[in-house]
Amino acid sequence: MNLERKNPITILCYLFFVIFITIFSTNPIMLGISFVSSILFYFALKGWKKTLIRLAYSLLFVAIITLVNPLFSRQGMTALFEIGSLIVTKESILYGVAIGVMFSSSMIWFGVMNILLDSDKISYIFGKYTPKIGTILSVSLGLFPKYIAQYKKIDNNLKALGLYNQASLWRKIKLKMHTLSTLISWSIEGALTLSDSMSARGYDLKHKRVFGKYHFGVSDIILLIISIAVGVVILVFMGLGVGSYYFYPTFKPLQWNVDVWIYFATFCFMNLMLAVDLWEMIKWQFSISKI
């Protein structure tokens, strides 16, 4: 993807505003725009197989939040049914759907950030001015895949020894806990070794020179300015009540009034980077066809 060659600061700034708009919005239309845009972005990065898996987990999460929310929020005026002393209202269910979509969209956007900003790019962004924070973030992003791979390796070794054969449920839980305990011991030892090694190499020095293969091109500067300007405008107008929505005591009917411009602006903004990438792909294919 061409976005991987963009300056990491531009990508971080853009995703920062996208995630903040998602988190601070309760409007169903804006949440739907964020969810669909995040799925499209994730599809462009990882393909349809992993996107379907991520989508399935997201919908499952939304369903769980929808079912759990009426247990904690008994507000609302439209009662649907009763379970003992619990009154389930339409407002609490719809609010659960909205919260589930908001959290799911945010997690997908964070997944996009994790793909586009690897440990080298995080080190480039924070390494010069905040070397310790940059080192912590860079190392953390690199360790999570290693921990997952090591957990599978330890678990597969236990399976190869036949310890899972005809094991009861309680026995399997104990074996999983043993695998986790082994992983924690391994990770602590590895973290101490890595910390000493990085300190010896001067990673935590304030005035060290950081190598960066990224530079600010014209397109990076334009995208950065657009991200800051549009992101700030949307957040400011959201704070002023444009596109506001409420669920309690009864949900607000969706109306296509003068505030509809914020939906269009949000859709264009959340698909900006994807549109830029598609445009560059089209230009590249056109350039190849002329050779």
Side-chain angles (χ1 to χ4, degrees):
M1 196 173 188
N2 294 324
L3 290 180
E4 296 178 355
R5 296 193 295 268
K6 295 293 182 183
N7 193 285
I9 297 177
T10 301
I11 296 175
L12 178 64
C13 182
Y14 169 76
L15 293 176
F16 171 83
F17 281 107
V18 168
I19 293 172
F20 262 68
I21 291 171
T22 303
I23 292 175
F24 290 117
S25 176
T26 57
N27 189 297
I29 295 178
M30 295 187 67
L31 291 176
I33 290 173
S34 179
F35 185 77
V36 172
S37 301
S38 63
I39 289 293
L40 291 175
F41 212 138
Y42 197 85
F43 169 74
L45 292 171
K46 303 297 289 186
W48 66 271
K49 288 185 178 180
K50 292 188 176 181
T51 303
L52 287 179
I53 295 174
R54 177 59 72 104
L55 179 61
Y57 279 115
S58 299
L59 294 178
L60 178 61
F61 182 79
V62 172
I64 293 174
I65 296 296
T66 303
L67 294 174
V68 170
N69 185 65
L71 300 177
F72 299 94
S73 177
R74 303 187 180 185
Q75 304 179 54
M77 299 179 61
T78 310
L80 296 178
F81 53 88
E82 297 182 11
I83 303 176
S85 61
L86 175 65
I87 300 177
V88 178
T89 63
K90 181 188 293 187
E91 289 80 8
S92 63
I93 291 179
L94 292 177
Y95 186 71
V97 173
I99 294 299
V101 171
M102 184 268 287
F103 277 112
S104 297
S105 302
S106 301
M107 288 188 290
I108 297 174
W109 282 118
F110 275 113
V112 170
M113 180 183 293
N114 191 37
I115 296 170
L116 293 178
L117 299 178
D118 54 18
S119 57
D120 291 337
K121 294 178 181 179
I122 293 294
S123 179
Y124 164 77
I125 295 173
F126 296 99
K128 184 175 181 181
Y129 302 103
T130 56
K132 292 185 178 180
I133 295 178
T135 301
I136 291 172
L137 293 175
S138 178
V139 171
S140 299
L141 291 175
L143 285 180
F144 278 116
K146 292 181 180 179
Y147 287 162
I148 295 173
Q150 184 67 16
Y151 178 88
K152 293 180 180 179
K153 183 178 179 181
I154 297 171
D155 198 51
N156 289 334
N157 288 337
L158 296 179
K159 291 179 181 178
L161 292 173
L163 298 180
Y164 279 96
N165 295 341
Q166 299 180 350
S168 63
L169 178 61
W170 178 246
R171 175 64 176 170
K172 290 181 180 179
I173 294 175
K174 291 180 68 175
L175 288 172
K176 293 294 184 182
M177 295 300 294
H178 174 73
T179 302
L180 183 61
S181 176
T182 305
L183 177 66
I184 292 174
S185 301
W186 174 85
S187 63
I188 292 175
E189 181 181 357
L192 291 174
T193 303
L194 181 63
S195 176
D196 293 338
S197 175
M198 297 186 74
S199 295
R201 296 180 183 181
Y203 274 80
D204 54 352
L205 297 178
K206 290 186 178 180
H207 301 291
K208 66 185 179 67
R209 298 186 64 182
V210 180
F211 169 76
K213 59 182 178 180
Y214 311 101
H215 65 280
F216 270 108
V218 177
S219 61
D220 292 313
I221 296 174
I222 294 175
L223 285 175
L224 182 61
I225 294 174
I226 293 175
S227 298
I228 295 175
V230 179
V232 168
V233 168
I234 292 176
L235 287 174
V236 168
F237 276 93
M238 284 175 58
L240 294 175
V242 178
S244 62
Y245 193 84
Y246 55 81
F247 290 87
Y248 301 117
T250 185
F251 54 86
K252 177 182 178 181
L254 290 172
Q255 297 178 350
W256 295 92
N257 50 23
V258 69
D259 295 342
V260 72
W261 68 267
I262 200 170
Y263 304 146
F264 179 75
T266 302
F267 177 81
C268 294
F269 180 63
M270 290 190 172
N271 291 278
L272 173 63
M273 286 290 184
L274 185 59
V276 169
D277 184 70
L278 291 175
W279 173 248
E280 292 185 354
M281 288 177 60
I282 293 173
K283 289 198 303 182
W284 174 251
Q285 294 296 329
F286 180 75
S287 299
I288 293 177
S289 64
K290 293 178 62 176
I291 297 178

